[in-house]
Amino acid sequence: MTRGRGILPLLIPAATLQAAAAAALPEHRITNIFQPLATPAESEYNIAMLIFAITGVIFVGVAGLIAYTIWRFRQPSDAAQHQEPPQVYGSNQIEVAWTVLPILIVFVLIGVSARVIAAVENASPPQAALKVTVIGHQWWWEVLYPDYNIVTANEIHMPASRDGKNATYLQLQSADVIHSFWVPQLSGKTDLIPNRTNFMWMDPREPGVYVGNCAEYCGTQHANMLLRVVAEDPADFKRWTVEQQKRSVDDTGASGDRAVFESLACVNCHNITGLGKASAGSKFGPDLTHLMSRQSLGSGVITNTPENLRAWVNDPQTSKPGCLMPSMRLTPDELTKVVDYLESLR
Ligand code: CUA
């Protein structure tokens, strides 16, 4: 089967279309379910095509019969107009045929769907598979790598799987309401439900940045709960984990700026590993330990540039109205120092 291009592109906000900081990786900007690039997405694509084909044949048959009937039995000339047409009463053969055929078709559809669902859902993680926990928040994604002791947000790094041997297993949880995790080219949707853990997996075939979005209405900024999967060659992924495990504050000379940051309420919500007690365990907002390694701010709303970061810290409500981070009403001097400090978190 040939794969259509751009049949149903799911358009995403313009901000995420901007070139990423790590521009080396190809960015799959248009999230096209008809161009699957991982096993679960491909299984779902194949079954969707099969069902399109079966229902397409039915549609053409039924629509064709209706069109033929309308034409063949159209209103005759005036002479015959008031005569009753010949009446035909039940035919057992026809009745049986149009009862049994649809039942068979429905069972075939149920059977093939169940097989694909089982194959995708029952796949058990190989011992070596990367495990990632994703927690949905209003309106951002917390991303944890328990085996690596890494906490990040909104961008999920994972190894690409050219040979189909690497897979990443995601544990999906929610901190507040129901969200839905969807990266169309990699897998179907799975909900993140409070007090429950759901699972999904993906094995991106090609390195690249795959964009996705929350797919369950979860409040004002639902549409700006964007996410990125950064699939890298395993060696690059390894390098990323090593960088992320470092304590970024160790290598800053910005201690004056840091003191200003620490004195503000920022630390009540944001953790920065190594910053000390003040921010330890703050999980209400995204972990900022390696903020500068991310491509976007505000869960994909704006690209991560110094100007955008300054504007964001000054008043997040301008870029993302309704988001849970308030404007701290910093003085220009405080703002400069806080932004300088954040810029050092590489
Ligand atoms: Cu989270 Cu919609």
Side-chain angles (χ1 to χ4, degrees), residues 20-64:
L25 289 168
E27 193 169 357
H28 299 273
R29 294 172 179 182
I30 293 185
T31 53
N32 189 344
I33 56 168
F34 293 100
Q35 269 186 288
L37 282 169
T39 307
E42 190 167 66
S43 318
E44 286 154 20
Y45 166 83
N46 288 338
I47 186 156
M49 283 300 142
L50 177 68
I51 288 172
F52 270 139
I54 293 174
T55 51
V57 168
I58 295 171
F59 175 79
V60 169
V62 172

Side-chain angles (χ1 to χ4, degrees), residues 179 214 216 218 222 225:
H179 304 273
C214 180
E216 177 84 42
C218 54
H222 152 72
M225 194 168 159

Side-chain angles (χ1 to χ4, degrees), residues 20-281:
L25 289 168
E27 193 169 357
H28 299 273
R29 294 172 179 182
I30 293 185
T31 53
N32 189 344
I33 56 168
F34 293 100
Q35 269 186 288
L37 282 169
T39 307
E42 190 167 66
S43 318
E44 286 154 20
Y45 166 83
N46 288 338
I47 186 156
M49 283 300 142
L50 177 68
I51 288 172
F52 270 139
I54 293 174
T55 51
V57 168
I58 295 171
F59 175 79
V60 169
V62 172
L65 277 174
I66 289 174
Y68 170 76
T69 310
I70 290 170
W71 173 79
R72 174 70 183 76
F73 300 102
R74 66 193 184 282
Q75 194 176 49
S77 59
D78 280 352
Q81 205 172 11
H82 298 295
Q83 280 177 14
E84 210 178 345
Q87 301 297 299
V88 180
Y89 294 98
S91 151
N92 283 346
Q93 286 96 322
I94 293 175
E95 297 266 359
V96 167
W98 71 42
T99 307
V100 171
L101 259 180
I103 289 175
L104 287 179
I105 293 167
V106 166
F107 273 102
V108 168
L109 295 182
I110 290 174
V112 291
S113 307
R115 223 184 67 173
V116 170
I117 292 169
V120 171
E121 300 228 319
N122 296 344
S124 50
Q127 212 62 42
L130 174 68
K131 290 175 194 69
V132 181
T133 302
V134 178
I135 304 173
H137 291 254
Q138 283 175 318
W139 290 278
W140 58 284
W141 308 88
E142 184 180 354
V143 183
L144 303 102
Y145 295 74
D147 296 340
Y148 291 88
N149 210 10
I150 292 171
V151 183
T152 180
N154 306 324
E155 292 169 17
I156 306 174
H157 286 247
M158 62 177 67
S161 179
R162 289 184 199 274
D163 52 3
K165 283 184 186 142
N166 287 332
T168 299
Y169 277 78
L170 304 177
Q171 284 199 2
L172 304 173
Q173 298 166 352
S174 171
D176 36 48
V177 299
I178 298 175
H179 304 273
S180 180
F181 185 97
W182 193 28
V183 183
Q185 284 187 285
L186 301 180
S187 187
K189 301 170 186 172
T190 304
D191 280 3
L192 301 89
I193 298 167
N195 300 317
R196 188 189 154 86
T197 300
N198 279 342
F199 297 89
M200 82 186 310
W201 64 283
M202 43 187 55
D203 54 348
R205 303 252 168 81
E206 297 169 11
V209 179
Y210 299 83
V211 294
N213 201 351
C214 180
E216 177 84 42
Y217 183 73
C218 54
T220 317
Q221 285 293 340
H222 152 72
N224 284 327
M225 194 168 159
L226 306 166
L227 72 114
R228 283 155 183 262
V229 168
V230 182
E232 298 164 304
D233 278 323
D236 292 334
F237 173 71
K238 199 88 209 157
R239 212 166 301 134
W240 178 82
T241 58
V242 171
E243 283 301 313
Q244 294 287 311
Q245 282 167 330
K246 288 183 188 157
R247 292 153 44 125
S248 62
V249 287
D250 283 355
D251 40 60
T252 68
S255 59
D257 300 336
R258 185 202 309 166
V260 171
F261 180 84
E262 271 183 297
S263 72
L264 296 166
C266 313
V267 290
N268 292 341
C269 295
H270 295 285
N271 179 58
I272 296 177
T273 305
L275 192 60
K277 255 191 246 158
S279 84

